[in-house]
Amino acid sequence: MVALYKEFHSQGLNIVGVSLDKDATKWKEAIAKDKLIWTQVSHLKFWEEPIAIQYEVQSIPAPFVLDASGKVVAKGLLGEELRAKIKELLSK
């Protein structure tokens, strides 16, 4: 995700990280260690995280791609598939 963010942020890519952590200290340490510079949110409720429930997250990571209107246009993509979808959407 860090590489994707660096590659595409200037073209309009935004990322919001939703954590299923329970421990605020460990969560914040991981953000710093992994240099995650985009918005991070969590209620620290593990699988009871409201966003995870709303989007029916069953495993992590669970990437969702939303278009400019907020509509989910892809989910579960990783690696080159995720990169290609982001590139496609940003080229429109």
Side-chain angles (χ1 to χ4, degrees):
M1 296 306 289
V2 173
L4 287 173
Y5 188 81
K6 286 179 180 178
E7 181 177 358
F8 293 113
H9 180 67
S10 65
Q11 298 173 46
L13 173 67
N14 287 304
I15 298 175
V16 176
V18 179
S19 175
L20 302 186
D21 280 288
K22 293 189 268 186
D23 183 303
T25 301
K26 289 180 182 178
W27 172 51
K28 291 174 185 177
E29 287 172 355
I31 291 168
K33 177 183 172 238
D34 294 337
K35 298 179 181 161
L36 307 179
I37 59 174
W38 51 83
T39 300
Q40 301 287 330
V41 298
S42 182
H43 291 96
L44 302 171
K45 293 186 173 186
F46 200 45
W47 288 104
E48 297 303 314
E49 173 63 46
I51 295 171
I53 293 169
Q54 178 180 346
Y55 283 89
E56 300 176 351
V57 172
Q58 301 295 313
S59 62
I60 50 176
F64 287 79
V65 179
L66 286 66
D67 66 13
S69 71
K71 177 184 172 193
V72 175
V73 295
K75 59 183 179 177
L77 301 179
L78 296 170
E80 187 53 39
E81 288 180 315
L82 179 58
R83 184 185 177 283
K85 187 63 171 179
I86 290 167
K87 188 174 182 177
E88 171 196 328
L89 291 169
L90 291 174
S91 69
K92 292 182 179 181

